Amino acid sequence: MIIGCPKEVKVQEYRVGLTPANVQSYVEAGHKVYIEHGAGAEIGFSDEAYQQAGAEMTDKATLFAKSEMIIKVKEPIECEYDYFRENQILYTYLHIAADKPLTEMLLKRNIQAIAYETIKTPTGLPCLAPMSAIAGRLATLESAKFIQKTFGGAGVLLSGTAGTPKAKVVILGGGVVGLNAAQIAMGIGADVTILDINAERLAYIDQIFGMQIKTLTSSRGNILSLLPEADVVIGAVLIPGAKAPHLVRRDDLKLMKKGAILVDVAIDQGGCFETSTPTTHNDPIFEIDGVIHYCVANMPGCVARTSTLGLTDSTLQYGLKIAALGVKEACLSDPALLQGLNTYNGKCTFKGVSDAFGLTY
Ligand code: NAD
């Protein structure tokens, strides 16, 4: 198959859909790979490295014109629509349930679109989990930074030091984000409590972390009891397909210490603190009632090299399968990949999207 990987065009998006090592895997499997000039240059993947791996460097228009499958990171935005050809395969993050113009473009051009975020195995979402893991780890690191006095925080070192208290880190949601946030917080030496509504998940966390961590059932009463002492609260809840619940309300901020930090990782699902609004890496924090809020919606973007390596480790196996078999056979042979198929032959093939736009499923 002929595969093309363009440079991302979204503001401050430095990730890339294929690394030079990925190119080598496709080429060794007998495929032809085009990479757009400079696609990975910002994160240390030079054009020369791609060429050495067997890719041909080209411009965006030629790449789209020649490729049967386009491999990207982010969903196409309007300035990219006209590059797509009839029946082309698109393999990327899509999030089209929230993007009607993109859905219409994919259907109109009969694009065979596979979304990373909906590929689903019996144990989880393999192409989404690496980004959640990175966001969770960053959540603790960012809180450690913004609780410093220079950023308006309380002036607390998360680990404390000999003879001083450790910071109290409260994590709402013990899924992939929550667990990774906890690992870093514990590594730093903070005092960590994880809350979840899922008793089995709490039991699992208790088993793997033992006495080093406190687990608590997530209830309004338990959350309120922790807020006055918390230095950092990390919001990491997810109810699949629904907006995040507001677990900390506006009035609750009065209970918190001045200069405490709320990190709302769930901001991409609307946020789990009532006072959260999305922020960017350029201007990541704001303050309400003395409490610092960090609500960046694309946290992994700031560690684009690690994120690219983590993402492509997961996407490669499915990409190779599509390249070898074509979309139809690859999806029929792999139920996880079939869940990833969002549009095919002008039809919407993912229920969440057809429901969102009233399309035939
Ligand atoms: P996950 O499904 O692995 O974990 C979510 C956890 O939340 C589950 O264990 C669930 O039981 C728990 N939960 C649900 N309701 C709860 C409640 N009321 N109280 C406490 N726990 C509750 O999801 P994840 O991969 O960890 O993702 C968490 C959130 O982070 C999602 O909204 C995801 O989209 C978001 N995310 C954001 C970024 C970013 O850059 N901001 C990056 C990655 C993921």
Side-chain angles (χ1 to χ4, degrees):
M1 186 178 280
I2 305 172
I3 292 149
C5 174
K7 186 171 162 52
E8 293 297 322
V9 291
K10 277 197 152 183
V11 176
Q12 292 227 335
E13 181 54 77
Y14 302 117
R15 286 175 292 177
V16 59
L18 292 175
T19 64
N22 298 153
V23 168
Q24 197 169 359
S25 301
Y26 281 97
V27 171
E28 278 173 4
H31 307 294
K32 164 91 189 159
V33 182
Y34 288 105
I35 303 282
E36 185 177 343
H37 292 293
E42 295 281 352
I43 55 169
F45 300 132
S46 65
D47 286 4
E48 293 70 35
Y50 281 114
Q51 279 167 323
Q52 275 166 19
E56 187 173 328
M57 306 309 292
T58 187
D59 59 275
K60 197 183 288 294
T62 310
L63 180 143
F64 273 87
K66 290 192 169 172
S67 302
E68 295 165 272
M69 169 157 67
I70 300 295
I71 300 184
K72 272 173 61 57
V73 177
K74 294 301 288 179
E75 70 280 5
I77 57 176
E78 219 179 318
C79 65
E80 297 174 293
Y81 289 2
D82 281 341
Y83 288 107
F84 281 92
R85 294 192 286 111
E86 272 294 293
N87 284 320
Q88 216 157 23
I89 301 168
L90 172 62
Y91 182 45
T92 189
Y93 283 123
L94 269 179
H95 303 289
I96 57 174
D99 193 342
K100 198 165 185 197
L102 176 59
T103 309
E104 285 170 353
M105 185 282 279
L106 297 174
L107 294 176
K108 199 170 125 209
R109 297 182 193 217
N110 291 329
I111 303 296
Q112 307 172 49
I114 290 138
Y116 295 158
E117 74 274 10
T118 66
I119 296 174
K120 192 173 179 190
T121 66
T123 52
L125 303 166
C127 300
L128 196 60
M131 296 304 102
S132 286
I134 288 171
R137 289 172 185 222
L138 279 172
T140 302
L141 296 174
E142 297 290 26
S143 70
K145 181 166 78 189
F146 290 114
I147 202 167
Q148 293 169 25
K149 205 67 209 161
T150 35
F151 293 104
V156 168
L157 184 64
L158 291 197
S159 60
T161 183
T164 70
K166 295 168 180 299
K168 288 197 161 49
V169 175
V170 173
I171 301 173
L172 304 175
V176 181
V177 169
L179 211 64
N180 279 274
Q183 271 182 315
I184 300 294
M186 285 164 53
I188 285 175
D191 173 330
V192 184
T193 307
I194 294 195
L195 296 89
D196 206 297
I197 48 172
N198 180 339
E200 277 177 30
R201 188 70 186 170
L202 289 179
Y204 170 73
I205 292 168
D206 185 64
Q207 234 167 31
I208 57 169
F209 290 136
M211 300 301 139
Q212 290 172 283
I213 203 166
K214 297 169 200 153
T215 55
L216 209 53
T217 301
S218 180
S219 65
R220 176 90 183 126
N222 280 340
I223 293 171
L224 289 183
S225 73
L226 292 172
L227 288 184
E229 290 294 312
D231 297 289
V232 174
V233 181
I234 295 174
V237 304
L238 177 65
I239 302 172
K243 274 191 79 166
H246 286 158
L247 300 181
V248 176
R249 300 177 194 160
R250 163 123 214 172
D251 271 359
D252 303 340
L253 298 188
K254 290 201 290 274
L255 301 172
M256 297 185 69
K257 294 192 260 191
K258 297 293 170 216
I261 310 288
L262 293 178
V263 178
D264 202 340
V265 187
I267 190 66
D268 60 344
Q269 301 290 331
C272 60
F273 310 132
E274 189 178 359
T275 41
S276 294
T277 48
T279 59
T280 63
H281 287 296
N282 283 344
D283 192 11
I285 56 168
F286 59 90
E287 178 254 305
I288 297 179
D289 292 349
V291 177
I292 311 288
H293 293 56
Y294 174 100
C295 307
V296 174
N298 66 332
M299 294 175 71
C302 73
V303 289
R305 186 175 165 93
T306 304
S307 296
T308 294
L309 292 168
L311 173 65
T312 56
D313 275 351
S314 309
T315 54
L316 178 65
Q317 54 162 323
Y318 298 108
L320 283 170
K321 196 174 270 187
I322 298 165
L325 301 174
V327 167
K328 187 174 172 190
E329 286 309 314
C331 287
L332 288 175
S333 72
D334 187 335
L337 198 50
L338 185 59
Q339 302 260 4
L341 190 63
N342 278 222
T343 62
Y344 185 76
N345 278 353
K347 291 254 165 23
C348 179
T349 49
F350 189 75
K351 196 164 182 331
V353 179
S354 55
D355 286 352
F357 302 130
L359 298 165
T360 321
Y361 168 60

